[in-house]
Amino acid sequence: MARVVILGAGVSGHTAALHLRRMMGKEHEVVVVSPNSQWNWIPSNIWVGVGRMAPEAVVFPLAPVYRRAGIAFRQAKAVAIWPEGDANDAHPGVDIVHTSPGREGEAERLTYDYLINATGPKLNFAATPGLGPDANSLSVCTPSHAVQAAAELEKVIAKLTSGERQRLVIGVGHGTCTCEGAAFEYAFNVEHELRAHGVRELADIVYLTNEYELGDFGVGGMVFEQQGFLSTSQLWTESLFRERGVRAIVRAHVERVEPGKLYFETLDGEQDSLLFDFAMLLPPFRGQELSAYDVDGTDITSTMFAPSGFLRVDADYAAKPYDQWLAADWPSTYQSPSYSNIFGVGIAFAPPHPISVPRTSPRGTVISPAPPRTGMPSGVMGRQVARSINDMIRTGSHTPTHTASMTTMGAACIASAGTGLRHGTAAAMTMYPVVPDHARFPGSGRSVKDTYGEVGLAAHWIKRLLHFLFIYKAKARPGWFLIPE
């Protein structure tokens, strides 16, 4: 019998768990470890954050799903990996600390034959002094954060209704942030809400981003063919900003956030400040606080994990200038180079370098988006690693059989720009591949015919449909595996 332990129950970990249980014989065990009792469809948090969706609509309890699927569940936080076991037990294991009611703080050593690290990101609000919902800004990263943001937005709308001007700043709170697409979505959903309430003319909406230009989204922007002409994500994104009257500050790093005022540096080294009445600023990500030890108890965390806290996998982590970056630098199997029975998927794996061009201000501040690894790519990674582990268990091999390189993977993304079945809009985007390959596709690094971007009502309908489809899939309802990642 083999036991596969999965750390994390987000898109990647949950997907891997469901596929493993579907593929493996009942004599094998699948165990999921997550500190959270509920699964969250994160893309819909933005609608919770403007009061258009109840938080209950974006979450569901994990335990009943896993019980029905035959997956063991530990509501706990992983704190340390022992990939060689220790002096008392040679079996590999992971130390966990329970978070479930009645077992809070209880420690357990969970042994494994295969381990998938899908812990996702630590929301690193501490990287920017004063950033975050426990300090001086808001977030929509979790359902509770989104509920708080909606309540504060309601207060802003009340002030606007009474004739009091308000400034809303929405964007990212650090020069190395990722998930610019989520900030974009929230900015335009807020703008849509203000118009719906008839108070838009009294509001100054500012979009603050570390992107070099609008439409970068952390993937270096996109070039695509539209009505026989080449266009770019920068052009249609800038057009939307002009149409909606949203002012953008690009190439910015937030240095600190005080009550009602933030301070930022731009790529040219200039320092400035901005007053606000409402600020939703996404944090940078880093890896969860996981340690690793060899059989003698020697700390090997720095060997297994990158300085960012993300797990090293089969990527080329050698430092090299931008003009020497290759598609081959990126991982394909997500297997740890140190231990063949450990994998890292989704946000939990360490990327070899950004996708966007790296840039640093004259003051030495990195102002460049980190590479996104969420959504569709995360789900595909989870499924393919599950398939590899299933084959490795069956054959006894140490070599993964399936790949999911972001340099050969396409992705589709739909970014909401305001909800409503008659008046909603969204930006539909596809790209192939996610990570540009300039050897295969000279110029932009992507296939122009397979890369696309457009804003409209139809895209909103699709995004709304996907909300229900992916929650259905995540609940492992009949035929769930037929819904693509």
Side-chain angles (χ1 to χ4, degrees):
M1 184 193 86
R3 173 187 283 172
V4 184
V5 173
I6 301 166
L7 306 180
V11 170
S12 210
H14 189 63
T15 299
L18 293 180
H19 279 293
L20 276 166
R21 185 68 284 163
R22 181 176 66 90
M23 293 183 293
M24 294 198 314
K26 296 300 182 183
E27 70 275 17
H28 303 300
E29 187 178 7
V30 179
V31 184
V32 174
V33 178
S34 173
N36 302 310
S37 64
Q38 294 187 309
W39 191 86
N40 174 210
W41 178 237
I42 294 174
S44 293
N45 285 354
I46 53 139
W47 290 335
V48 177
V50 293
R52 287 284 182 158
M53 186 171 280
E56 295 79 14
V58 300
V59 298
F60 62 80
L62 285 164
V65 174
Y66 288 147
R67 193 180 307 118
R68 178 163 41 83
I71 296 169
F73 178 52
R74 302 288 200 285
Q75 188 183 331
K77 179 181 180 181
V79 295
I81 302 173
W82 296 80
E84 303 165 14
D86 60 20
N88 299 316
D89 187 349
H91 213 99
V94 56
D95 290 338
I96 64 175
V97 177
H98 286 262
T99 60
S100 57
R103 298 189 70 180
E104 297 98 332
E106 180 183 329
E108 180 184 357
R109 172 72 61 85
L110 190 59
T111 59
Y112 64 83
D113 296 289
Y114 293 86
L115 181 72
I116 300 176
N117 179 14
T119 48
K122 175 182 175 64
L123 303 177
N124 193 17
F125 292 107
T128 301
L131 184 70
D134 292 330
N136 302 315
S137 65
L138 300 163
S139 161
V140 290
C141 293
T142 70
S144 61
H145 290 175
V147 168
Q148 182 182 358
E152 293 301 315
L153 180 61
E154 187 176 352
K155 294 176 185 177
V156 166
I157 291 173
K159 291 179 181 178
L160 289 166
T161 302
S162 68
E164 183 179 346
R165 294 198 67 87
Q166 297 280 283
R167 175 178 288 162
L168 300 90
V169 180
I170 299 167
V172 299
H174 193 274
T176 63
C177 282
T178 185
C179 282
E180 288 75 14
F184 167 92
E185 286 189 280
Y186 192 68
F188 284 99
N189 270 268
V190 166
E191 195 276 339
H192 180 86
E193 281 303 303
L194 299 185
R195 281 191 287 114
H197 283 81
V199 294
R200 176 66 181 90
E201 70 282 358
L202 289 174
D204 176 22
I205 303 177
V206 180
Y207 181 71
L208 185 68
T209 181
N210 58 352
E211 298 163 273
Y212 187 76
E213 58 194 22
L214 293 176
D216 180 284
F217 295 121
V219 296
M222 293 168 282
V223 177
F224 48 86
E225 188 173 325
Q226 194 171 44
Q227 297 179 343
F229 298 95
L230 287 182
S231 186
T232 67
S233 55
Q234 180 187 5
L235 287 175
W236 65 256
T237 304
E238 288 180 342
S239 175
L240 182 62
F241 273 75
R242 285 192 299 269
E243 177 186 314
R244 299 284 187 88
V246 176
R247 178 163 65 98
I249 299 174
V250 298
R251 310 170 194 176
H253 159 74
V254 179
E255 295 180 316
R256 69 183 189 277
V257 185
E258 296 178 352
K261 188 175 185 179
L262 62 83
Y263 297 81
F264 64 95
E265 177 189 353
T266 55
L267 193 58
D268 59 10
E270 294 296 317
Q271 292 178 292
D272 206 342
S273 62
L274 192 62
L275 296 172
F276 65 82
D277 300 288
F278 175 101
M280 197 296 292
L281 301 170
L282 299 178
F285 294 164
R286 63 169 291 107
Q288 297 287 354
E289 295 171 348
L290 260 175
S291 302
Y293 302 93
D294 69 11
V295 68
D296 298 320
T298 302
D299 193 318
I300 57 171
T301 306
S302 61
T303 300
M304 289 189 64
F305 293 87
S308 61
F310 298 119
L311 184 73
R312 296 181 189 272
V313 291
D314 60 315
D316 183 352
Y317 294 107
K320 60 182 75 173
Y322 173 72
D323 60 4
Q324 293 180 22
W325 289 359
L326 299 171
D329 296 341
W330 285 77
S332 60
T333 66
Y334 303 93
Q335 185 181 47
S336 164
S338 302
Y339 300 97
S340 62
N341 62 343
I342 297 179
F343 294 80
V345 292
I347 294 178
F349 87 84
H353 43 65
I355 301 174
S356 300
V357 178
R359 294 181 170 90
T360 306
S361 78
R363 298 165 55 88
T365 304
V366 177
I367 305 179
S368 182
R373 309 185 295 288
T374 55
M376 184 176 177
S378 283
V380 173
M381 290 175 211
R383 182 192 68 211
Q384 295 297 78
V385 165
R387 294 175 72 188
S388 285
I389 290 175
N390 180 58
D391 289 344
M392 292 164 74
I393 290 172
R394 184 170 48 82
T395 64
S397 171
H398 296 291
T399 304
T401 51
H402 295 274
T403 61
S405 173
M406 290 173 65
T407 62
T408 58
M409 183 194 308
C413 175
I414 301 180
S416 175
T419 185
L421 293 180
R422 288 190 302 153
H423 304 292
T425 54
M429 294 172 277
T430 64
M431 67 185 85
Y432 177 79
V434 177
V435 174
D437 185 341
H438 294 281
R440 292 174 61 203
F441 304 107
S444 70
R446 296 190 177 99
S447 167
V448 172
K449 68 181 180 66
D450 296 311
T451 302
Y452 169 85
E454 188 170 324
V455 179
L457 175 60
H460 171 73
W461 292 344
I462 295 171
K463 185 173 180 71
R464 189 80 179 192
L465 175 64
L466 291 176
H467 166 87
F468 295 105
L469 277 176
F470 281 111
I471 288 181
Y472 180 94
K473 177 185 177 75
K475 287 182 176 180
R477 296 301 187 191
W480 66 267
F481 53 88
L482 299 174
I483 300 172
E485 273 70 45

